[in-house]
Amino acid sequence: GENVEQHPSTLSVQEGDSAVIKCTYSDSASNYFPWYKQELGKGPQLIIDIRSNVGEKKDQRIAVTLNKTAKHFSLHITETQPEDSAVYFCAASGTGGGADGLTFGKGTHLIIQP
Amino acid sequence: GAVVSQHPSWVICKSGTSVKIECRSLDFQATTMFWYRQFPKQSLMLMATSNEGSKATYEQGVEKDKFLINHASLTLSTLTVTSAHPEDSSFYICSASQLAGGEAQYFGPGTRLTVL
């Protein structure tokens, strides 16, 4: 089955700086890669996703890049703000169409230092 | 849009009893709903995939007779933890993907289960 590795486990950055979280996946058949933000005691919130036919996607301060050949994808957050502090999870799924469950990475605790 | 609710948000029960958790898609119809479990400071692990009107598909290692899933309509799925034990204490989270809406899964707020 799919295996998703995520690094780093903890990331501390100064407010206003950029943060980058990286993930690798094992199953070359995976074609959908979402990123979720989870605050303490809450469910994950989808912040951005990318499909395998696209190399990069951006939404305001958040961007995701995908390298299918190397089987890795990354989340980039620019101009970080205190409210960006949370745990971020990457995930991967296979056939798509909403029929596949997600395999998650272990999460990155992002800390924004004021 | 794409709001998923869960009820209850937290529950405490005695060992040996059963607990039912509801997952609803509030503003869309969900082809498929998923159930995940998350232990403290850990990642989410997929337990089962549920399609409306059919039997759920369970992940390896998840006991189907212990975690009963019913997907009665396009907006409601339930997870019943039968004969709960302390090791079943966890954060249970459901997600739903929209009918003909692609792969995006929207998660509920989760249910904290504590078994005494």
Side-chain angles (χ1 to χ4, degrees), chain A residues 100-113:
Chain A
D100 272 5
L102 296 169
T103 299
F104 282 85
K106 291 189 182 300
T108 296
H109 186 191
L110 177 62
I111 302 166
I112 308 301
Q113 303 279 5

Side-chain angles (χ1 to χ4, degrees), chain A residues 32 36 38 41-44 46 51 89 96-102 104-106, chain B residues 32 34 36 38 42-44 46 49 91 93 97 102-109:
Chain A
Y32 175 66
Y36 288 88
Q38 186 178 31
K42 298 184 178 181
L46 178 66
R51 290 166 178 77
F89 291 97
D100 272 5
L102 296 169
F104 282 85
K106 291 189 182 300
Chain B
T32 307
F34 305 87
Y36 295 81
Q38 185 177 32
Q42 293 189 24
S43 189
L44 288 83
L46 178 66
T49 301
F91 195 46
I93 319 174
S97 58
E103 300 93 334
Q105 289 184 30
Y106 300 93
F107 282 81

Side-chain angles (χ1 to χ4, degrees), chain A residues 43-44, chain B residues 4-7 21-25 33-37 44 77 79 91-96 105-111:
Chain B
V4 177
S5 71
Q6 277 184 246
H7 178 80
I21 302 170
E22 290 187 350
C23 175
R24 294 181 184 272
S25 55
M33 288 182 167
F34 305 87
W35 288 94
Y36 295 81
R37 180 166 52 183
L44 288 83
S77 176
L79 168 69
F91 195 46
Y92 291 87
I93 319 174
C94 70
S95 72
Q105 289 184 30
Y106 300 93
F107 282 81
T111 296

Side-chain angles (χ1 to χ4, degrees), chain B residues 8-58:
Chain B
S9 56
W10 59 270
V11 57
I12 301 173
C13 70
K14 292 183 178 180
S15 187
T17 60
S18 295
V19 173
K20 180 185 283 189
I21 302 170
E22 290 187 350
C23 175
R24 294 181 184 272
S25 55
L26 297 185
D27 53 359
F28 66 98
Q29 292 185 320
T31 315
T32 307
M33 288 182 167
F34 305 87
W35 288 94
Y36 295 81
R37 180 166 52 183
Q38 185 177 32
F39 291 108
K41 296 187 178 181
Q42 293 189 24
S43 189
L44 288 83
M45 297 296 294
L46 178 66
M47 298 175 66
T49 301
S50 164
N51 290 291
E52 184 261 342
S54 62
K55 290 184 179 181
T57 302
Y58 291 81

